[in-house]
């Protein structure tokens, strides 16, 4: 239970202490991954890759202060700003909203660092308006694709805070947020994880309230979603290979949920533990923190392939994402066990990276997902964050 003052003292920006040996090992692995990413970038980037590489090189620049990386980051950010964004009457794709979120994050980061703007303020204000208009009318439960778009637009507008022109859009969007969770059907299951799932949606609402957006009914919607989530939990039984407390998804043909052993950034109990920790900050229910810790500590017992499904170094479904989850759990709770787990999974990431870099596979994101910072980029950012404490908090683009 949370008997120490660590939970109360912890904060999202808390640095996860790595120590010289862990930092040195992470730096060595990052350099290997960076060499491959630099070669890929030199060969030319597709428009869909601009956002990821612009964010990546900004992080590299902030970590090391190298003018070459800074110039490249600015060049890529300017190219990102010049993408042909959808005009009136043209629907936005999920990936395009993700690119806009990367631009919003980059603009805020560059302004805070006193760097030249990558995008004129008027252009960002126009994006605010366009994206807000894109999701107007979704006051009743939208289809799954549109629900995901709604969550992404709310994330974009939160990244634009405290810009005066963006705040009213976010407030209005949240004030008419549909009931949580979205209804599940046989054709459209309700996913529960951090990648386009219930946890992602609830974290967007929690982040908005943490940022001071006092939309009516926001906390009640979070509580409603948590009640639905908690009604799906089950007891674990490692002997029966039942490792997960929460299912990956539910639908009308399996209302009790579909379970797997996967422990990853995109789904699994690690993300649900983080969600419960964050929910406690706005609902002020100590029992949420207790459940978060019990759930999170239970995942520490899962390190084997059968118990986690981790076979590669990737971010969304591999060791790097698990490491980053434990870093987030430590930042929120201050629980030392999470720091040890973070170091363990950093080590596994580095071990698995060696054979993976012998193929082209690490360059790709998870197939079939609109996943920002996927593939080797996400893995490299996790390693960079471990090696250099000055790396910006790029995770805000994802949650």
């Amino acid at each position: 239970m949370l008997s120490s003052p660590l939970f109360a003292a912890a904060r999202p920006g808390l640095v996860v202490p790595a120590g010289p040996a862990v930092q040195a090992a992470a730096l060595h692995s990052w350099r290997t991954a960076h060499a491959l990413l630099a070669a890929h970038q030199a060969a030319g980037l597709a428009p869909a890759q601009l956002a990821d590489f612009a964010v990546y090189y900004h992080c590299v620049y902030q970590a090391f202060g190298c003018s070459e990386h800074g110039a490249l980051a600015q060049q890529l950010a300017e190219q990102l700003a010049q993408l042909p964004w959808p005009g009136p009457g043209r629907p936005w794709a999920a990936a395009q909203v993700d690119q806009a979120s990367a631009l919003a994050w980059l603009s805020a980061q560059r302004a805070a660092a006193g760097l030249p703007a990558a995008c004129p303020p008027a252009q960002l204000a126009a994006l605010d308006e366009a994206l807000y208009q894109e999701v107007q009318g979704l006051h009743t439960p939208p289809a799954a694709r549109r629900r995901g778009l709604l969550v992404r637009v709310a994330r974009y507008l939160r990244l634009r805070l405290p810009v005066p022109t963006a705040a009213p859009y976010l407030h209005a969007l949240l004030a008419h947020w549909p009931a949580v969770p979205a209804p599940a059907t046989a054709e459209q299951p309700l996913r529960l994880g951090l990648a386009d799932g219930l946890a992602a949606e609830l974290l967007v609402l929690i982040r908005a309230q943490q940022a001071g957006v006092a939309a009516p009914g926001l906390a009640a919607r979070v509580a409603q979603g948590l009640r639905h989530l908690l009604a799906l939990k089950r007891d674990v039984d490692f002997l029966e290979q039942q490792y997960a407390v929460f299912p990956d998804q539910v639908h009308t043909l399996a209302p009790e949920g579909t379970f797997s052993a996967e422990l990853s950034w995109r789904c699994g109990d690690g993300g649900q533990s983080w969600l419960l920790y964050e929910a406690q900050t706005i609902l002020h229910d100590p029992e949420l923190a207790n459940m978060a810790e019990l759930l999170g500590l239970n995942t520490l017992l899962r390190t084997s392939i059968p118990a986690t499904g981790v076979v590669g170094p990737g971010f969304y479904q591999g060791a790097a994402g698990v490491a980053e989850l434990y870093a987030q759990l430590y930042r929120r709770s201050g629980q030392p066990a999470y720091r040890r787990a973070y170091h363990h999974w950093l080590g596994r990431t580095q071990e698995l990276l060696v054979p993976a870099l012998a193929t082209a596979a690490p360059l790709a994101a998870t197939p079939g997902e609109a996943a920002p910072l996927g593939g080797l980029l996400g893995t490299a950012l996790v390693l960079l964050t471990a090696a250099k404490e000055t790396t910006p908090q790029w995770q805000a683009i994802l949650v």
Side-chain angles (χ1 to χ4, degrees), residues 69-97:
H69 293 143
L72 181 55
Q74 181 172 354
Q75 175 190 339
L76 293 172
E78 290 172 351
Q79 291 178 29
L80 174 63
Q82 294 165 10
L83 286 176
W85 304 101
R90 292 177 54 203
W92 284 72
Q96 290 173 309
V97 185

Side-chain angles (χ1 to χ4, degrees), residues 83 93 217 323 344 383:
L83 286 176
H344 168 82
L383 293 169

Side-chain angles (χ1 to χ4, degrees), residues 382-396:
V382 171
L383 293 169
L384 180 64
T385 304
K388 301 291 289 185
E389 295 178 350
T390 52
T391 304
Q393 293 186 34
W394 49 271
Q395 306 87 346

Side-chain angles (χ1 to χ4, degrees), residues 72 74 87 90 111 143 158 240 248 270 277 290 304 322 333 360 367 378 384 394-395 398:
L72 181 55
Q74 181 172 354
R90 292 177 54 203
R158 191 254 304 163
E240 295 296 324
D248 297 337
Y277 276 124
N290 292 335
S304 67
V322 179
S333 71
L384 180 64
W394 49 271
Q395 306 87 346
L398 307 177

Side-chain angles (χ1 to χ4, degrees), residues 159-175:
L159 289 168
R160 290 280 289 141
L161 294 176
V163 177
T165 56
Y169 291 132
L170 180 58
H171 188 279
L173 189 66
L174 295 171

Side-chain angles (χ1 to χ4, degrees), residues 264-279:
S264 68
W265 176 271
R266 70 165 195 163
C267 70
D269 289 349
Q272 306 302 351
S273 175
W274 185 20
L275 168 63
L276 291 168
Y277 276 124
E278 295 289 349

Side-chain angles (χ1 to χ4, degrees), residues 229-266:
L229 175 69
L230 293 172
L232 296 169
K233 65 185 179 68
R234 69 172 184 184
D235 294 331
V236 298
D237 187 340
F238 282 22
L239 292 178
E240 295 296 324
Q241 298 183 334
Q242 294 180 353
Y243 301 107
V245 173
F246 290 103
D248 297 337
Q249 62 181 24
V250 296
H251 52 79
T252 52
L253 299 180
E256 73 284 355
T258 303
F259 290 81
S260 78
E262 183 174 334
L263 183 65
S264 68
W265 176 271
R266 70 165 195 163

